[in-house]
Amino acid sequence: MFVRLSFVAALLIGLAFAPAKPRRVIFFGDSITQAGVKPGGYISRLTEMLGKQNKGADYELIGAGIGGNKVYDLFLRMDDDVLAKKPDLVFVYIGVNDVWHKRTHGTGTDPDKFLKFYEAIIRKLQAANAKVVLCTPAVIGEKTDFSNEQDGDLNQYSTMIRELAKRQNLPLCDLRQAFLDYNLKNNPENKASGILTTDRVHLNDTGNQFVADLMMKYL
Amino acid sequence: MFVRLSFVAALLIGLAFAPAKPRRVIFFGDSITQAGVKPGGYISRLTEMLGKQNKGADYELIGAGIGGNKVYDLFLRMDDDVLAKKPDLVFVYIGVNDVWHKRTHGTGTDPDKFLKFYEAIIRKLQAANAKVVLCTPAVIGEKTDFSNEQDGDLNQYSTMIRELAKRQNLPLCDLRQAFLDYNLKNNPENKASGILTTDRVHLNDTGNQFVADLMMKYL
Amino acid sequence: MFVRLSFVAALLIGLAFAPAKPRRVIFFGDSITQAGVKPGGYISRLTEMLGKQNKGADYELIGAGIGGNKVYDLFLRMDDDVLAKKPDLVFVYIGVNDVWHKRTHGTGTDPDKFLKFYEAIIRKLQAANAKVVLCTPAVIGEKTDFSNEQDGDLNQYSTMIRELAKRQNLPLCDLRQAFLDYNLKNNPENKASGILTTDRVHLNDTGNQFVADLMMKYL
Amino acid sequence: MFVRLSFVAALLIGLAFAPAKPRRVIFFGDSITQAGVKPGGYISRLTEMLGKQNKGADYELIGAGIGGNKVYDLFLRMDDDVLAKKPDLVFVYIGVNDVWHKRTHGTGTDPDKFLKFYEAIIRKLQAANAKVVLCTPAVIGEKTDFSNEQDGDLNQYSTMIRELAKRQNLPLCDLRQAFLDYNLKNNPENKASGILTTDRVHLNDTGNQFVADLMMKYL
């Protein structure tokens, strides 16, 4: 009788003191996300920010970005790079190359297929019980007068993502809108780069911090 | 003495009654202008409008539009199709294909070369004592949320034309701005076509009248 | 005793007369294959040819072609459209749009990704115990002097498929080589279409029969 | 009397010894020709070769190449860069960018327009009494199995130039055919560059000498 009691007590004590399993968060994307795990990258910054809030042990942030990736590349490698890691939460941050490569390589993604693959990714993530945050592709050019060459197309794909989030009642991290709002305030000379990006697409220090701040709200 | 007097009188009378040479106006452009001389086209409408104002004899309107033309095509054929006709005024209405064909044929025009040819056209027209009106390319898609695929690029080329007009102090018929303003009021469903165009690019009846009204101010 | 014996006999007789399960063959591809199941299409012709050889009951031919499909579209839908049907043999006939759409839509497929998805498709088919036949994309233009606009690129992708077949020791139905050989003999006027295709890409009657004859060897 | 005689004599002597006006040859093209005037470039090599043959005084070779030029760029600048210099002979060496930029910038040149501008250039050169040599664009990639991405298109444009030369009975320097023949012998590993080019397009030392040797025949 004594033994049994002490066993149950030990068990209860053990449960109480066991460190909670940290929340595993995967950032799934392209070269912007690949750079996010470097020092100063948006994922590294998120990790640091969580540390300063004494939440370092509560989260495990994993970068799963590969340069040049489009939506179908994510679908192809998601079993190995995402599902196998059993994430609790996945940020899907894709779309720049799907639009950009139309012009530079002739190998962008048609809008209807972009949507089809995006939906397939969400289905597989949800089937694996992962929460999903959708992100709009931020910029290909930071000019604020809508004269960046592929603004129209990037708006089209961002609108598709926004409508998809609404339709499926999923959280949306609207980077594109946030970048535009920021540039309208901070880019009075209508520059194509140098505000939040180094080269019209990839994030500079300010841009990495900006994205980290935006994404923090969804953790 | 009598003879001389009567000669002078006849001369004066002759001058008084001689019909003034009509102002020759050439519309120089692409398929939109090629369609402009058809019944219901914007040039035909301008001719009718001038007739109703009893100014029919004061103007000779000539369409010089060829489908698929880009800025360099205008330059190639301007000797034969424009300068040989000794125009008093020329509307240069070009740019849609320079942007559009990047996507559809891989044969658009680089922005720096667009500007170079545009300036060369103006120089040749002015050397022939023709007045010039610059027009911005109206639309490739009428959606009002800047999500028409090539909006960004078309804005870039329109901005170049606007700055060129300002730099050279030339009249600007800003079709792109006017089309956008019209659509913001009259296209609440964010349709891609059917407001001023039949197919996102070419003018329907309303569009032809709209362009005719805008251009009338420069005659 | 008698009962048992008769039972075994009935069983043996039953096995002897039971129709063998037909070999299920799926043709997996794009619009060329989608048209293949229509009357006169290459799959319909194969079915008829097998019937005339009294092999109609031995095979079940299934078309799984969708217009506009590229290699990654096959990967996306292969669970539903191919694996769910438990095929014994699959012809993978893809690649035309991966090259063609670079020019027409800016949405072709990069060579390295073409290969990656192709290999992934093969892996999944083999994991499901299906035999695989690889086909090279036949033509985008039938001119025999290598001046069809995308000949170079189509040759590149065909070479990749040939090398993949060799590397993995898989049967190769080299449509591209066969079409070229046929055109070299039968297209003395160097026409772009009308020999084996209606429109440079899609098969005419001769082309459908030609493909059927070539594929018959792999059944 | 003496004076007059000696004057006439001096004049005759002067005429006899006066150096003949050298033949002015202009090489009109793109970046390949722009590099041709550098040390080791094909035009520099031609000048040296003529010098060694003691024909240095008989020829004046002028490079008129600008990087990125397409056929219409030549047309735009030919008055200043070619006709103003009153050449006796002009090598027109253009076409690589007209094809290449379709893929890299979406701003190549349609075949029908390529021909139109090419013909217009020839007309203007001939009207100025300059002889013309047409050159085919050599290569975008040196692979010999016709799998360089834009081989088909480059063949198409080269065929147009060949037919134009034949139609107008003009000398043709068929660089593309010569490069292919050379590579078939000297590129057994089917390399994309490094045989006659540094980067698939621009000439290495061997390439510059090869072009110089080919062009020498037309001087």
Side-chain angles (χ1 to χ4, degrees):
Chain A
M1 193 70 179
F2 171 82
V3 172
R4 284 202 167 212
L5 198 72
S6 68
F7 174 75
V8 169
L11 208 125
L12 286 168
I13 290 162
L15 279 170
F17 285 92
K21 197 184 143 238
R23 193 172 197 214
R24 183 167 285 180
V25 183
I26 295 186
F27 299 85
F28 196 24
D30 55 28
S31 58
I32 298 167
T33 295
Q34 190 172 22
V37 296
K38 292 185 185 168
Y42 77 84
I43 301 169
S44 304
R45 287 170 189 264
L46 277 167
T47 302
E48 286 166 33
M49 289 156 74
L50 290 168
K52 286 182 188 161
Q53 297 174 20
N54 290 320
K55 294 182 186 166
D58 302 343
Y59 290 91
E60 184 187 9
L61 307 190
I62 300 175
I66 292 188
N69 266 207
K70 296 164 207 156
V71 71
Y72 52 76
D73 298 307
L74 298 194
F75 183 75
L76 179 61
R77 66 185 181 86
M78 72 183 293
D79 287 348
D80 293 340
D81 292 2
V82 179
L83 299 181
K85 295 174 181 166
K86 301 190 180 304
D88 298 293
L89 175 65
V90 177
F91 284 80
V92 179
Y93 179 4
I94 199 71
V96 167
N97 294 319
D98 298 89
V99 169
W100 198 14
H101 289 196
K102 288 188 188 179
R103 175 57 38 81
T104 55
H105 298 76
T107 55
T109 310
D110 289 309
D112 58 334
K113 294 186 176 173
F114 182 82
L115 186 59
K116 245 183 173 173
F117 275 96
Y118 211 120
E119 290 173 334
I121 289 168
I122 294 173
R123 265 197 307 275
K124 287 190 82 164
L125 290 173
Q126 291 179 328
N129 290 315
K131 299 274 181 198
V132 188
V133 176
L134 311 191
C135 306
T136 50
V139 287
I140 306 174
E142 300 192 61
K143 290 195 287 179
T144 57
D145 62 350
F146 289 111
S147 75
N148 303 294
E149 186 179 355
Q150 298 186 283
D151 268 349
D153 215 21
L154 207 55
N155 285 340
Q156 183 188 354
Y157 286 62
S158 296
T159 298
M160 286 196 304
I161 294 171
R162 289 175 193 128
E163 291 173 354
L164 175 60
K166 188 175 289 178
R167 209 160 54 235
Q168 302 203 2
N169 200 26
L170 294 170
L172 172 76
C173 180
D174 196 344
L175 298 175
R176 182 153 179 78
Q177 187 61 51
F179 270 58
L180 177 60
D181 293 343
Y182 185 93
N183 266 286
L184 283 168
K185 282 185 200 147
N186 297 284
N187 185 5
E189 293 174 53
N190 199 32
K191 288 182 187 171
S193 64
I195 309 303
L196 294 169
T197 74
T198 57
D199 62 353
R200 300 172 63 241
V201 168
H202 297 93
L203 305 174
N204 64 14
D205 281 347
T206 313
N208 271 297
Q209 188 58 49
F210 189 68
V211 168
D213 288 338
L214 288 166
M215 289 193 174
M216 181 58 95
K217 301 168 193 167
Y218 300 88
L219 288 184
Chain B
M1 191 71 177
F2 171 82
V3 172
R4 282 200 170 212
L5 199 73
S6 68
F7 174 74
V8 168
L11 207 124
L12 287 168
I13 291 161
L15 278 171
F17 287 92
K21 196 184 145 240
R23 193 170 195 216
R24 183 169 285 181
V25 184
I26 295 187
F27 299 85
F28 196 24
D30 55 28
S31 57
I32 297 167
T33 295
Q34 190 172 20
V37 296
K38 292 185 186 168
Y42 77 84
I43 302 169
S44 304
R45 286 170 189 265
L46 277 167
T47 302
E48 286 167 34
M49 288 155 73
L50 289 167
K52 286 182 187 160
Q53 297 174 20
N54 291 319
K55 293 182 186 167
D58 301 343
Y59 289 92
E60 183 187 9
L61 307 190
I62 299 175
I66 293 189
N69 266 208
K70 296 164 208 158
V71 70
Y72 52 76
D73 298 307
L74 298 194
F75 183 76
L76 179 61
R77 65 186 181 86
M78 71 182 293
D79 288 347
D80 293 340
D81 291 2
V82 178
L83 298 181
K85 295 176 181 166
K86 300 189 181 304
D88 299 293
L89 176 65
V90 177
F91 285 79
V92 180
Y93 180 5
I94 200 71
V96 167
N97 294 319
D98 298 89
V99 169
W100 198 14
H101 289 196
K102 289 188 187 179
R103 176 58 37 81
T104 54
H105 297 76
T107 57
T109 310
D110 288 310
D112 59 334
K113 295 187 175 173
F114 183 81
L115 186 59
K116 246 183 171 171
F117 274 96
Y118 210 119
E119 289 174 335
I121 289 168
I122 294 173
R123 267 196 307 276
K124 288 191 81 164
L125 290 173
Q126 291 179 328
N129 291 317
K131 300 274 182 199
V132 187
V133 176
L134 310 191
C135 306
T136 50
V139 286
I140 306 174
E142 300 192 63
K143 289 194 288 178
T144 56
D145 61 350
F146 289 111
S147 75
N148 302 293
E149 185 179 356
Q150 297 186 284
D151 268 350
D153 215 20
L154 206 56
N155 285 340
Q156 182 187 356
Y157 285 64
S158 296
T159 297
M160 287 197 303
I161 294 171
R162 288 174 194 130
E163 291 174 354
L164 176 59
K166 189 175 288 180
R167 210 159 55 236
Q168 302 203 3
N169 202 23
L170 293 171
L172 173 76
C173 181
D174 197 343
L175 299 175
R176 181 151 180 78
Q177 187 62 51
F179 271 58
L180 177 59
D181 293 343
Y182 185 94
N183 266 286
L184 283 168
K185 281 186 202 147
N186 297 284
N187 184 7
E189 293 174 54
N190 199 33
K191 288 183 188 172
S193 65
I195 309 302
L196 293 168
T197 73
T198 57
D199 61 353
R200 299 172 63 241
V201 168
H202 297 92
L203 306 174
N204 63 14
D205 282 349
T206 312
N208 271 298
Q209 187 59 47
F210 188 68
V211 169
D213 289 337
L214 288 166
M215 289 193 174
M216 181 57 95
K217 300 167 192 168
Y218 300 88
L219 288 183
Chain C
M1 191 69 178
F2 172 80
V3 172
R4 284 200 167 212
L5 198 76
S6 69
F7 175 74
V8 168
L11 207 126
L12 286 169
I13 290 162
L15 277 171
F17 286 93
K21 195 185 145 240
R23 194 171 195 214
R24 184 169 283 181
V25 184
I26 295 187
F27 300 84
F28 195 25
D30 55 27
S31 57
I32 298 167
T33 295
Q34 190 171 21
V37 296
K38 291 184 186 169
Y42 78 84
I43 301 169
S44 303
R45 286 170 190 263
L46 277 167
T47 302
E48 287 167 33
M49 289 155 74
L50 289 169
K52 286 181 188 161
Q53 297 175 21
N54 292 318
K55 294 181 186 167
D58 301 344
Y59 289 90
E60 183 187 9
L61 308 189
I62 300 175
I66 292 188
N69 266 208
K70 296 165 208 158
V71 70
Y72 51 76
D73 298 307
L74 297 194
F75 183 75
L76 179 61
R77 66 186 180 87
M78 73 182 292
D79 287 347
D80 294 340
D81 292 1
V82 178
L83 298 181
K85 295 175 181 167
K86 303 191 179 304
D88 299 293
L89 176 65
V90 177
F91 284 81
V92 179
Y93 180 4
I94 199 74
V96 166
N97 294 320
D98 298 89
V99 169
W100 198 14
H101 290 195
K102 288 188 189 179
R103 176 59 35 82
T104 54
H105 297 76
T107 56
T109 310
D110 288 310
D112 59 334
K113 294 187 176 173
F114 182 82
L115 186 60
K116 246 183 173 170
F117 275 96
Y118 211 120
E119 290 174 335
I121 289 169
I122 294 173
R123 266 197 307 276
K124 288 190 81 164
L125 289 173
Q126 291 179 330
N129 290 316
K131 300 274 181 197
V132 187
V133 176
L134 310 190
C135 306
T136 50
V139 288
I140 306 173
E142 300 193 62
K143 290 195 287 177
T144 57
D145 62 351
F146 289 110
S147 75
N148 303 293
E149 186 179 356
Q150 298 185 284
D151 268 351
D153 215 21
L154 206 56
N155 285 338
Q156 183 187 354
Y157 285 63
S158 295
T159 297
M160 287 197 302
I161 294 171
R162 288 175 194 130
E163 291 174 354
L164 176 60
K166 189 176 287 178
R167 211 159 54 236
Q168 301 203 3
N169 201 25
L170 293 171
L172 173 76
C173 181
D174 197 343
L175 298 176
R176 181 150 180 80
Q177 187 61 52
F179 271 58
L180 178 59
D181 293 343
Y182 185 93
N183 266 286
L184 283 169
K185 283 187 199 145
N186 297 285
N187 185 5
E189 293 174 53
N190 199 34
K191 288 182 188 172
S193 65
I195 310 301
L196 293 168
T197 73
T198 56
D199 62 352
R200 298 173 64 242
V201 168
H202 297 92
L203 306 174
N204 64 13
D205 281 349
T206 312
N208 271 299
Q209 187 60 46
F210 189 68
V211 168
D213 288 338
L214 288 166
M215 289 193 172
M216 181 58 95
K217 299 168 192 167
Y218 299 87
L219 287 183
Chain D
M1 191 71 177
F2 172 81
V3 172
R4 284 201 168 211
L5 200 72
S6 71
F7 174 76
V8 168
L11 207 125
L12 286 168
I13 289 161
L15 278 171
F17 286 93
K21 195 184 146 242
R23 193 171 197 216
R24 183 168 286 181
V25 184
I26 295 186
F27 299 84
F28 195 26
D30 55 28
S31 58
I32 298 167
T33 295
Q34 191 172 20
V37 297
K38 291 185 186 169
Y42 78 84
I43 301 169
S44 305
R45 287 170 189 265
L46 277 167
T47 302
E48 286 166 33
M49 289 156 73
L50 289 168
K52 285 181 187 160
Q53 298 175 19
N54 292 318
K55 293 182 185 165
D58 301 344
Y59 290 91
E60 185 188 7
L61 308 190
I62 299 175
I66 292 189
N69 266 206
K70 296 165 208 157
V71 71
Y72 52 76
D73 298 306
L74 298 194
F75 183 76
L76 179 61
R77 67 186 181 86
M78 71 182 294
D79 287 348
D80 294 339
D81 291 2
V82 178
L83 298 181
K85 295 176 181 167
K86 301 191 180 303
D88 299 293
L89 177 64
V90 177
F91 284 81
V92 180
Y93 180 4
I94 200 72
V96 167
N97 294 320
D98 298 88
V99 169
W100 199 14
H101 289 196
K102 288 187 189 178
R103 176 57 39 81
T104 55
H105 298 75
T107 56
T109 311
D110 288 311
D112 59 334
K113 295 187 175 172
F114 182 81
L115 185 60
K116 246 183 173 171
F117 274 96
Y118 211 120
E119 289 174 335
I121 289 169
I122 294 173
R123 266 197 308 274
K124 287 191 83 164
L125 290 173
Q126 291 179 328
N129 290 316
K131 299 276 180 197
V132 187
V133 176
L134 311 190
C135 305
T136 50
V139 287
I140 306 174
E142 301 193 61
K143 290 195 287 178
T144 56
D145 61 350
F146 289 111
S147 74
N148 302 293
E149 186 179 355
Q150 297 185 285
D151 268 350
D153 215 21
L154 207 55
N155 285 339
Q156 183 188 356
Y157 285 62
S158 296
T159 297
M160 286 197 303
I161 294 171
R162 289 176 193 128
E163 290 174 353
L164 176 59
K166 189 175 288 179
R167 210 159 54 233
Q168 302 203 3
N169 202 25
L170 293 171
L172 172 76
C173 181
D174 196 343
L175 298 176
R176 181 152 179 78
Q177 186 62 51
F179 270 58
L180 177 60
D181 293 344
Y182 185 93
N183 265 288
L184 284 169
K185 283 185 198 147
N186 297 284
N187 185 6
E189 292 174 54
N190 199 34
K191 288 182 188 172
S193 65
I195 310 301
L196 295 168
T197 73
T198 57
D199 62 352
R200 298 173 64 239
V201 168
H202 297 93
L203 306 174
N204 63 14
D205 282 349
T206 312
N208 271 297
Q209 188 59 47
F210 188 68
V211 168
D213 289 338
L214 288 166
M215 290 193 172
M216 181 57 95
K217 300 170 192 166
Y218 299 88
L219 288 183

